[in-house]
Amino acid sequence: ERTSRTAQRMDDLLLGIDLGTTRLKVSAFAFDGTLHHQSAKRHTEHRDTTGAWQDPDAWWQDVVDLVRAVRAAAGARRIAGIG
């Protein structure tokens, strides 16, 4: 039987990235919805007399860091999709 290069394997994981207003979460799930690993980090908020803001470059670096952490926790398991 011929299989596609993109065929789902039993140990594949799906990666979810949730960039919220106060924190970032990156989670790896099995196809049946079971949570395999999750990592989170709170955003740093800067304030002064003009208001409050967050640094989008810091958001991106946090995404990179947390994806790496979750990927390391997944070990040899393949990340089949990201959402």
Side-chain angles (χ1 to χ4, degrees):
E1 177 180 316
R2 186 174 177 192
T3 59
S4 167
R5 287 179 55 192
T6 59
Q8 174 186 342
R9 297 186 314 216
M10 293 301 290
D11 62 343
D12 285 351
L13 296 173
L14 299 171
L15 195 69
I17 300 172
D18 178 7
L19 180 60
T21 56
T22 60
R23 71 180 182 155
L24 165 71
K25 289 189 295 188
V26 176
S27 307
F29 295 92
F31 274 83
D32 68 0
T34 304
L35 178 63
H36 175 71
H37 186 78
Q38 184 175 71
S39 195
K41 184 172 183 182
R42 191 164 186 75
H43 299 307
T44 300
E45 187 173 275
H46 307 279
R47 292 180 179 269
D48 65 14
T49 58
T50 63
W53 71 95
Q54 295 177 354
D55 180 3
D57 291 330
W59 295 343
W60 179 247
Q61 188 58 56
D62 291 345
V63 168
V64 169
D65 294 344
L66 293 185
V67 166
R68 284 181 178 155
V70 170
R71 181 67 189 105
R77 295 178 79 173
R78 183 177 78 149
I79 302 297
I82 301 173

